[in-house]
Amino acid sequence: MIDENTLLADGFEKALIGFGYRHNHQLAIYDYHTCVEILIERDGMSEEDAIEYMDYNVIGSYVGEYTPVFFNRDLVDGCST
């Protein structure tokens, strides 16, 4: 069940991949690349503009402790366990 305090990113419903928790707060998790694709298709942005928009206007926005998380799978490739 989605917690009533969980913030969802308007217009990025197709990019929602699930929910996670930080300090007992449920957070929406979105796929970064799918969000970029949505901006390209829906808003007619170039890939470069969509990435810039995501980085500055979406990821760069803090709207409180329930701010959504944007998962970038490219960053996982560089991690070692």
Side-chain angles (χ1 to χ4, degrees):
M1 176 174 17
I2 300 174
D3 183 295
E4 66 184 39
N5 294 313
T6 300
L7 298 176
L8 302 175
D10 292 336
F12 293 114
E13 292 81 9
K14 291 181 181 177
L16 182 65
I17 59 174
F19 297 91
Y21 295 88
R22 180 186 315 124
H23 304 291
N24 294 323
H25 295 93
Q26 185 184 64
L27 306 175
I29 302 173
Y30 293 86
D31 181 84
Y32 175 88
H33 293 285
T34 304
C35 290
V36 169
E37 291 172 10
I38 290 169
L39 292 171
I40 292 168
E41 293 172 15
R42 183 191 69 201
D43 299 343
M45 293 184 182
S46 67
E47 182 177 13
E48 182 179 333
D49 287 344
I51 290 170
E52 182 178 328
Y53 183 89
M54 277 297 299
D55 292 348
Y56 184 78
N57 295 296
V58 179
I59 294 174
S61 296
Y62 178 75
V63 290
E65 57 195 348
Y66 292 94
T67 299
V69 173
F70 294 85
F71 174 71
N72 186 338
R73 62 185 173 264
D74 290 342
L75 300 177
V76 174
D77 292 337
C79 295
S80 59
T81 56

